[in-house]
Amino acid sequence: MRKELLPGEQVITITRQQGRSLFFPLLAFIVVPALTGFACAWIVRENPQRLVPFITAEWTPWLVGTVVVLAVWFLAAYSLKRVLRWRSIKYVLTSRRVLARNGMFRRSDWQVSLMAVRNVGVQQSMLQRVLHSGNISLDTGHSGIAVLADVPEVGKFRGFILDAMDELPQGEVFEGEVLRDFEELPWELREGGRDER
């Protein structure tokens, strides 16, 4: 992130989405190994032979291996996939802009200049209110609304955004400098162009 900062820009905070989306994947990391151990013990006690007579004791290692492979496949396909997706989303607030990054292999980024933001809104569901998270919408006027989904400590993050907006230099930015007066503009850039008299 340090390489991508503009001159004079500072990182205020970096956060990820609220971790509530990890509840079921982490629960699966506890339940699936327990069920796998129970199923393997049930197979070793020769219970499949009682249910299906043509299954012999030679099938036991294959059945145990199949159960273990299915458990590992489920954990990788369900839990690990969701943990990696959560880990790949990052929200960065700097002194000049808000950046959102999503993805590990195929990355999508977007950024909103704080000077373009007209309104900062917060929407929360009942569960988000309990967990102190929410969705922050950045209204940029004609170009639309950018949404940061499920931001933890949403009130603090919105406060950081508003403080950063208050600390922005007043006036128009021209080639990295702040111009406070129309007379400071070169003649070529004033409204109407050059004076041809």
Side-chain angles (χ1 to χ4, degrees):
M1 180 66 203
R2 200 173 288 267
K3 295 178 183 176
E4 300 171 12
L5 293 177
L6 302 172
E9 186 177 25
Q10 297 176 347
V11 174
I12 296 173
T13 186
I14 300 173
T15 189
R16 300 189 187 285
Q17 282 188 337
Q18 170 72 339
R20 71 184 169 96
S21 62
L22 298 178
F23 177 76
F24 289 112
L26 292 178
L27 184 64
F29 266 114
I30 296 169
V31 172
V32 169
L35 291 177
T36 302
F38 178 79
C40 289
W42 186 79
I43 291 170
V44 169
R45 289 186 174 181
E46 300 179 356
N47 287 325
Q49 288 87 356
R50 294 181 192 147
L51 293 177
V52 183
F54 68 86
I55 294 179
T56 62
E58 291 84 32
W59 287 46
T60 301
W62 293 102
L63 292 174
V64 169
T66 302
V67 168
V68 170
V69 167
L70 288 175
V72 169
W73 174 80
F74 178 80
L75 289 176
Y78 176 73
S79 297
L80 188 62
K81 179 180 174 183
R82 281 159 178 76
V83 169
L84 290 176
R85 184 183 311 145
W86 171 82
R87 180 108 169 91
S88 70
I89 299 172
K90 186 187 298 184
Y91 302 132
V92 181
L93 173 64
T94 70
S95 56
R96 294 189 182 175
R97 55 195 170 143
V98 177
L99 296 97
R101 297 186 168 181
N102 185 4
M104 294 183 77
F105 303 112
R106 290 185 325 172
R107 176 161 287 203
S108 64
D109 297 348
W110 60 261
Q111 59 182 324
V112 175
S113 171
L114 291 177
M115 293 186 87
V117 175
R118 295 181 178 176
N119 187 18
V120 180
V122 173
Q123 295 87 29
Q124 291 178 301
S125 67
M126 184 64 86
L127 180 60
Q128 286 176 326
R129 288 188 69 189
V130 170
L131 297 174
H132 302 287
S133 67
N135 302 330
I136 294 180
S137 59
L138 304 171
D139 184 5
T140 57
H142 67 281
S143 59
I145 296 177
V147 177
L148 302 172
D150 216 7
V151 178
E153 296 297 330
V154 70
K156 287 183 183 179
F157 198 85
R158 182 178 73 173
F160 289 152
I161 292 173
L162 294 174
D163 290 344
M165 288 172 63
D166 287 343
E167 293 177 10
L168 287 173
Q170 300 300 317
E172 297 291 322
V173 175
F174 174 71
E175 295 180 353
E177 297 180 12
V178 177
L179 299 178
R180 288 174 172 55
D181 190 6
F182 178 74
E183 296 299 323
E184 293 181 32
L185 282 171
W187 277 104
E188 298 85 27
L189 297 178
R190 292 187 189 178
E191 186 176 340
R194 293 180 185 253
D195 190 2
E196 300 294 333
R197 288 188 236 167

